[in-house]
Amino acid sequence: NAGVTQTPKFQVLKTGQSMTLQCAQDMNHNSMYWYRQDPGMGLRLIYYSASEGTTDKGEVPNGYNVSRLNKREFSLRLESAAPSQTSVYFCASSEGMGFYEQYFGPGTRLTVT
Amino acid sequence: AQSVTQLGSHVSVSEGALVLLRCNYSSSVPPYLFWYVQYPNQGLQLLLKYTTGATLVKGINGFEAEFKKSETSFHLTKPSAHMSDAAEYFCAVSAYGGSQGNLIFGKGTKLSVKP
């Protein structure tokens, strides 16, 4: 039981390049999330998917797109990376929204030069 | 709108001393409250949560937190710190229902434990 997995673990991009961060969970959870973590800022929600087939914007969605590929997988795409997107990205999943515990992946450390 | 304030971005205690990490929240509906811990280079994991019922909540690794509605607080405590408690701790609030169902995280408190 791997929980939440993320690929890649590390990535360096040049400004303007694109990439997709992959996330998968094996807990049969309905809800999935993408966060970014920056020093002194805590975690900020980028996008979430309350259930398969739905996605919604979070606090900081600009510059990102998401796809809920199926119940297991939720990807995050940067179409044209900018230095301001240098961050650590976490995927999480939960049985549902609200009071359910969120389970986090190990993170992807992204640097945009 | 909900919000969370964690007082103190860094807290340092001696091994064996009391750990107290402060969290105050703002919520327009009865809140669900969480404490998560993040060890270096890892994702977050749940320490404990308050949904309804008993206001003193016990979590993993000897931590507990008390929900005080009158003070809008949910402070995290541990009677005796261990070196292994050194990590970053995040308080979060959620309000169930629609777009209010997400977690709002505080900015975090980094706990250092001195030998």
Side-chain angles (χ1 to χ4, degrees), chain A residues 4-11 21-23 34-37 87-92 104-110, chain B residues 38 41-44:
Chain A
V4 179
T5 57
Q6 293 182 236
T7 55
K9 285 188 168 45
F10 301 93
Q11 185 71 48
L21 281 64
Q22 307 286 356
C23 173
W34 277 106
Y35 293 92
R36 61 177 289 172
Q37 183 178 28
S87 189
V88 181
Y89 291 86
F90 288 99
C91 178
F104 285 78
T108 295
R109 189 172 295 272
L110 175 66
Chain B
Q38 184 181 32
N41 300 313
Q42 294 186 26
L44 280 69

Side-chain angles (χ1 to χ4, degrees), chain A:
Chain A
N1 202 354
V4 179
T5 57
Q6 293 182 236
T7 55
K9 285 188 168 45
F10 301 93
Q11 185 71 48
V12 179
L13 290 179
K14 290 185 176 5
T15 298
Q17 288 184 318
S18 62
M19 78 162 294
T20 300
L21 281 64
Q22 307 286 356
C23 173
Q25 51 92 8
D26 62 2
M27 295 173 281
N28 200 34
H29 284 168
N30 293 305
S31 303
M32 297 186 73
Y33 314 81
W34 277 106
Y35 293 92
R36 61 177 289 172
Q37 183 178 28
D38 303 291
M41 299 294 290
L43 272 78
R44 293 181 292 170
L45 184 65
I46 305 171
Y47 272 93
Y48 67 98
S49 172
S51 59
E52 185 180 358
T54 70
T55 60
D56 282 290
K57 295 178 181 180
E59 181 185 355
V60 289
N62 290 346
Y64 306 95
N65 284 299
V66 290
S67 295
R68 183 77 183 264
L69 304 169
N70 47 55
K71 192 171 186 180
R72 289 187 64 247
E73 298 171 288
F74 188 40
S75 63
L76 178 72
R77 182 158 178 84
L78 287 70
E79 290 290 354
S80 178
S84 61
Q85 294 178 305
T86 293
S87 189
V88 181
Y89 291 86
F90 288 99
C91 178
S93 71
S94 63
E95 190 174 335
M97 303 291 288
F99 55 75
Y100 291 98
E101 175 183 358
Q102 292 189 16
Y103 293 80
F104 285 78
T108 295
R109 189 172 295 272
L110 175 66
T111 302
V112 183
T113 62

Side-chain angles (χ1 to χ4, degrees), chain B residues 28-95:
Chain B
S28 56
V29 296
Y32 301 130
L33 295 158
F34 304 78
W35 275 100
Y36 282 82
V37 61
Q38 184 181 32
Y39 298 103
N41 300 313
Q42 294 186 26
L44 280 69
Q45 62 183 87
L46 183 70
L47 268 181
L48 50 81
K49 68 176 181 180
Y50 168 80
T51 53
T52 58
T55 56
L56 183 62
V57 181
K58 294 188 185 302
I60 61 171
N61 300 338
F63 284 93
E64 62 183 36
E66 187 170 11
F67 170 59
K68 291 188 176 180
K69 185 178 177 181
S70 61
E71 298 177 9
T72 61
S73 69
F74 191 56
H75 301 331
L76 182 71
T77 60
K78 181 174 181 178
S80 176
H82 295 161
M83 297 296 291
S84 60
D85 295 327
E88 191 157 19
Y89 294 79
F90 294 91
C91 183
V93 64
S94 173

